[in-house]
Amino acid sequence: MWRGNARSQGLAETTDHDRRPPGIGAPPGPAAGARDGLQPLVVLGIGVVAGAGLWLGPDPQVQVALWAVAGGCFAGAMLLTARIVLARRRRRQDLAAAARLMEHDPHPCFATDAAGRVLAANAAARRRFDRPQGRALAQVLGPVLPQAAAILQRQEDALQKRAAAHETVQGPRGPLRIAAHRVSGGAFWRIDDDPAGAVQGGDHVSLPMMVVSQSDTILSMNAAMRDVLGRRATGLDEVFAQVPVVAGRRTTLNTARGPIEVIPVVLTAQDGRREVYAVPGLAEPPAASVAARAFEALPVALLHIGNDGRLLASNRHAQALLGIDGTAAGTRLSALVEGLGRPVNDWVMDTLAERIPNRSEVARARGGDRETFLKITLSRITDGTGPSLLAVLHDATALKTLEQQFVQSQKMQAIGELAGGIAHDFNNLLTAITGHCDLLMLRRDAGDPDYADLVQISQNVNRAASLVGQLLAFSRKQQLEPEILDLRDTMGELTHLLNRLVGERIALSLSHDPDLLRVRADRRQLDQVVMNLVVNARDAMPEGGEIRIETRMVRLEAPLLRDRAEVPVGRYVTLRVRDQGHGIPPDKLERIFEPFFTTKGTGEGTGLGLSMAYGIVKQSGGYIFVDSEVDIGTTFTIYLPAFDTACAAAEAGGPDRAGEAAAPPEAVAASGDGAVVLLVEDEAPVRAFASRALQLRGYCVIEAQNAEEALERLTDRSLDVDLFLTDVVMPGMDGPSWVRRALEDRPGTKVVFVSGYTEDALEDGRFAIPNSVFLPKPFSLAELTETVQRQLH
């Protein structure tokens, strides 16, 4: 191990060879070598003991065994010795080969043994370092590499895990790249004092500059900083009067001639190190000032703003961020940035008048060909011409985008929680509407003039119910309820709603394949996917046009590879939504399914529609792709696995009925057989509908408006109840609580829970009660009676 307090050679011995991964070829350290050397001696000692036993004159059979042991031990000792000799020879050969390879390298190279001693050095190393042969590498590198032992130790630790390691460190004269390669018998080291792409030491910059660690330790400083300070410093507290140093905030620099006011500019690297530049205060006219002349030398965006809020100077980095050029002098800052939440001029003037503390603000650049957010720090400067401002700009676009996504996510989560809170009351209303609609349909046949209107009411109630589920989908996962669908039927029923969505200026047309097979998907979710695609198509055609929905059968004889997805071989039903809109630019096409990404303007879209569509299609086992040409149109194509008639019948557990219309309420025969149902519901309209529906089916219904009334009715021992039908959330005692109490006296009674909340929110209470099922609101007359009948029979 490399240690700073090692022996005279500056290095401790390398151990833990057994922990090195295979393939590195790491050599055993001296301890391991001594252990290997003892192995043949131990085996030889056993042989000697066995040979000595022959002189004791034991039984002839024992002598034969001892002769065999002794001979085997002697042979084993010779083999072990030969193996150790060959291994050492191979290590010497490897090191010699490394020495030959590195001899003509223009950078210093070393070959070291397991203990870190230099076995060989190339010509460049011999010219630069004094007699490196035989010395510890940490001692050799000490003059050019502070804390050499610690740095070499890090490399040695890295070589424990992989065959090579490298690190760029800051030396007194600039960066050094230390590269280490594990070879059999030791390591090969290369010292590059001019690494490509390394952070420069700062001598190319005329401004005072230093490199600082995360702990405010000064790692290096350029010649300008050394001249200003007149000494070397080890920490920021020795250089600046106030620490921590805040970028762009005026502070005092302790120089050899006394304190001077500077404005620090800080650049942070990925490894946590910082470059701190000291920009002197202005003492000349702005255009000729030291700061103005230094703008181009600094690798950071800077603006100099006068006391009237107008731009005096800018460097090329600031011009690139703001989308301006050198002719922008005299422009107000408010013409360059916006979105502070307050007038930009007020912020500038308040900072000049020192009415507010210096702090960073995030604004949006007005110019440029892309949306850019800037973190701006203003610092007040005073010179002979009066106060002015130095603005330090950082590109905060990525950070602002993440912030916007987080805010949008929180907003949608709040909507989901709100929807969950109102779901109970909202679904109670929908249950009453759909229930009484079904009761009206019972008294009319399909030829009645009002029947079609009742069907429309029922369908739109279902759409409203799915709306609550879609809102909840943004804040929690929802389980899909797949069923066998014929897209010709579902798209036909959806057309009425789609026509209302697109308006009169856009024509909507459908085209179906006559040989279309069925698919297995959640109908409501699939309808939502189609509606999202149609709405996007509508928004892409503000002047009007045509939206075409097509269904086709596709047989893939070979896997379809596109957009980093692979569609397996098989039969698929494709659903295409085509528009004649403005299209999607190629640079945005790859991100079209990302959450919160939208091509619409601010406030016109959430960026969740297509990402939700993508998730629903993937959950259904399908694929969705997009093709688009600017000013021509966009086509979304959905691939869903096809189900033939036999598969559909098997899935449904009976004959194929997918093409049949749903049975009207009057087609369901009464089947209650006089069973007694205790109905507990606090909403009077829902209770009235459920009671009438069950009575029409032949059930005897006992009503209660809360749990307490239900328990009071059950005190009558002569009352025989076959099933409890109860709401879950009610004033006072909730549904699961009163049912548990009632089941203590009436075990075995069947239970049906109904609620406007999602089922996953009620699982704890439901699973604790035997013989219970859950029926979500809103439910139709048929769904209610079928659920009760299944529970009883």
Side-chain angles (χ1 to χ4, degrees), residues 293-338:
R293 293 196 305 268
F295 276 3
E296 293 303 325
L298 280 171
V300 69
L302 297 174
L303 300 175
H304 189 195
I305 302 171
N307 55 14
D308 58 352
R310 298 182 182 275
L311 188 64
L312 299 176
S314 62
N315 67 355
R316 56 186 175 87
H317 301 289
Q319 294 168 11
L321 286 177
L322 293 170
I324 61 175
D325 53 29
T327 62
T331 305
R332 290 188 179 275
L333 184 62
S334 58
L336 303 177
V337 298
E338 61 181 356

Side-chain angles (χ1 to χ4, degrees), residues 524-540:
R524 289 184 178 180
Q525 300 287 0
L526 187 59
D527 287 352
Q528 186 65 43
V529 170
V530 175
M531 283 191 289
N532 287 345
L533 297 180
V534 170
V535 167
N536 285 340
R538 177 202 65 187
D539 295 342

Side-chain angles (χ1 to χ4, degrees), residues 146-147 210-221 225-226 229-240 243 254 274 276:
Q147 301 179 342
M210 67 188 92
V211 179
V212 183
S213 69
Q214 291 178 318
S215 59
D216 287 349
T217 300
I218 298 176
L219 302 176
S220 66
M221 58 181 66
M225 181 63 80
R226 290 194 293 270
L229 296 180
R231 67 188 189 284
R232 288 189 176 275
T234 58
L236 278 183
D237 55 349
E238 302 176 28
V239 177
F240 293 101
V243 290
N254 300 320
R274 292 166 292 162
V276 181

Side-chain angles (χ1 to χ4, degrees), residues 13 54 120 158 237 270 307 484 562 564 669 702 755-756:
E13 297 171 348
L54 296 172
D237 55 349
Q270 291 183 349
N307 55 14
I484 306 303
R562 62 164 297 181
R564 295 177 298 219
I702 302 173
S755 179

Side-chain angles (χ1 to χ4, degrees), residues 279-295 304 312-313 381 383 390:
V279 178
L282 302 180
E284 307 172 24
S289 68
V290 174
R293 293 196 305 268
F295 276 3
H304 189 195
L312 299 176
I381 304 168
D383 56 31
L390 181 68

Side-chain angles (χ1 to χ4, degrees), residues 11-277:
L11 297 167
E13 297 171 348
T14 304
T15 59
D16 297 335
H17 170 256
D18 293 337
R19 292 202 304 263
R20 302 175 191 265
I24 290 181
R35 185 168 62 249
D36 290 343
L38 286 175
Q39 290 177 356
L41 293 178
V42 172
V43 175
L44 184 61
I46 295 173
V48 170
V49 172
L54 296 172
W55 299 100
L56 300 177
D59 184 85
Q61 293 181 350
V62 176
Q63 286 185 346
V64 172
L66 291 174
W67 274 113
V69 171
C73 289
F74 282 117
M78 294 299 293
L79 290 174
L80 289 173
T81 303
R83 191 190 70 171
I84 293 171
V85 171
L86 290 175
R88 290 176 178 174
R89 181 179 298 175
R90 282 197 301 270
R91 287 196 290 267
R92 287 196 299 269
Q93 291 173 347
D94 290 343
L95 289 174
R100 288 193 300 270
L101 290 173
M102 71 184 183
E103 180 60 29
H104 301 292
D105 195 304
H107 297 284
C109 299
F110 304 90
T112 61
D113 62 10
R117 288 183 295 272
V118 176
L119 300 178
N122 69 348
R126 293 193 298 271
R127 286 193 303 270
R128 183 164 180 179
F129 300 98
D130 183 31
R131 297 189 300 276
Q133 201 83 7
R135 297 170 60 199
L137 185 58
Q139 291 179 340
V140 175
L141 299 180
V144 300
L145 189 63
Q147 301 179 342
I151 295 170
L152 295 178
Q153 176 63 56
R154 287 200 297 270
Q155 299 300 296
E156 183 69 20
D157 292 341
L159 290 179
Q160 299 281 349
K161 303 175 183 177
R162 52 186 182 271
H166 63 85
E167 178 181 359
T168 300
V169 297
Q170 194 68 30
R173 298 184 180 180
L176 293 173
R177 187 177 189 272
I178 313 297
H181 298 265
R182 178 61 63 195
V183 296
S184 179
F188 169 74
W189 303 82
R190 188 174 187 268
I191 314 299
D192 187 350
D193 54 1
D194 186 23
V199 178
Q200 299 297 319
D203 288 316
H204 66 294
V205 179
S206 60
L207 290 175
M209 171 265 187
M210 67 188 92
V211 179
V212 183
S213 69
Q214 291 178 318
S215 59
D216 287 349
T217 300
I218 298 176
L219 302 176
S220 66
M221 58 181 66
N222 67 351
M225 181 63 80
R226 290 194 293 270
D227 292 341
V228 169
L229 296 180
R231 67 188 189 284
R232 288 189 176 275
T234 58
L236 278 183
D237 55 349
E238 302 176 28
V239 177
F240 293 101
Q242 299 91 21
V243 290
V245 174
V246 179
R249 183 177 297 177
R250 196 180 186 91
T251 186
T252 302
L253 181 71
N254 300 320
T255 71
R257 298 180 178 85
I260 62 172
E261 288 189 338
V262 297
I263 298 166
V265 177
V266 182
L267 299 180
T268 303
Q270 291 183 349
D271 59 0
R273 293 182 301 167
R274 292 166 292 162
E275 293 182 7
V276 181
Y277 297 85

